[in-house]
């Protein structure tokens, strides 16, 4: 699992208990997962279809640096299934896990469309000439 994105927990991200608000975290995760799906499927018309139960494992506090990890676990005909983990960058302590997030690839008509992908594409596969370093 690659942990590409880091976030710095700021005062506006907190709940009344002084810890990271779950809604802020879910917004970050949905965006991160959508970007992952768009890159993997090579299509910007991708929508969130399903999220499995979300396990808030431990709290995060103001000033923490957290990192979001996503990996693809399954490629369907029109869908891609992802797994997500958020952890504290410094301590590596897990903050949240989502076992299954399903995104659906859409065609121009807004209906599910076959994406033709079967496995994870890594940056070196996408830019074989090394143009992105
Ligand atoms: C996404 C949407 C077009 C799919 O329509 P649908 O009628 O369910 O489409 P299908 O039945 O053909 O299923 C499409 C894929 O989703 C999968 N799927 C459908 N329902 C699912 C569910 N509850 N859980 C997991 N996967 C599901 C199917 O297995 C299929 O995958 P596959 O082709 O890889 O086998 C439609 O449900 C929709 O527009 N939902 C709203 C999306 C949205 O607004 N998201 C929030 C903003 S991004």
């Amino acid at each position: 699992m690659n942990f590409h994105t880091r976030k710095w927990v700021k005062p506006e991200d907190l709940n009344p208990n002084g810890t990271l608000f779950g809604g802020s975290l879910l917004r970050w995760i949905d965006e991160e997962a959508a970007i992952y799906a768009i890159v993997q499927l090579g299509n910007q018309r991708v929508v969130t279809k399903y999220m499995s139960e979300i396990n808030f494992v431990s709290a995060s506090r103001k000033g923490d640096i957290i990192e979001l990890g996503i990996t693809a676990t399954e490629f369907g005909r029109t869908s891609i299934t992802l797994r997500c983990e958020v952890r504290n960058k410094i301590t590596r302590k897990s903050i949240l896990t989502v076992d299954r997030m399903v995104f659906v690839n859409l065609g121009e008509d807004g209906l599910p469309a076959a994406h033709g992908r079967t496995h994870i594409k890594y940056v070196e596969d996408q830019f074989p000439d090394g143009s992105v370093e």
Side-chain angles (χ1 to χ4, degrees), residues 3-63:
F3 288 80
H4 283 302
T5 296
R6 283 92 51 99
K7 293 278 183 188
W8 196 16
V9 178
K10 302 199 191 77
E12 61 265 31
D13 306 318
L14 303 180
N15 59 31
N17 191 38
T19 59
L20 176 59
F21 177 52
S24 300
L25 189 49
L26 290 177
R27 185 162 57 84
W28 296 339
I29 289 167
D30 193 38
E31 182 173 329
E32 180 74 7
I35 292 169
Y36 184 99
I38 287 166
V39 170
Q40 288 298 322
L41 302 182
N43 178 15
Q44 296 209 24
R45 291 175 189 270
V46 168
V47 286
T48 314
K49 174 63 188 173
Y50 172 85
M51 284 176 85
S52 70
E53 66 272 18
I54 297 151
N55 185 7
F56 288 96
V57 182
S58 65
S60 180
R61 290 181 172 72
K62 188 174 71 173

Side-chain angles (χ1 to χ4, degrees), residues 47-50 76-79 100 102 104 106 110 112:
V47 286
T48 314
K49 174 63 188 173
Y50 172 85
R77 195 181 77 84
T78 66
S79 68
R100 289 185 74 225
V102 178
V104 176
L106 303 180

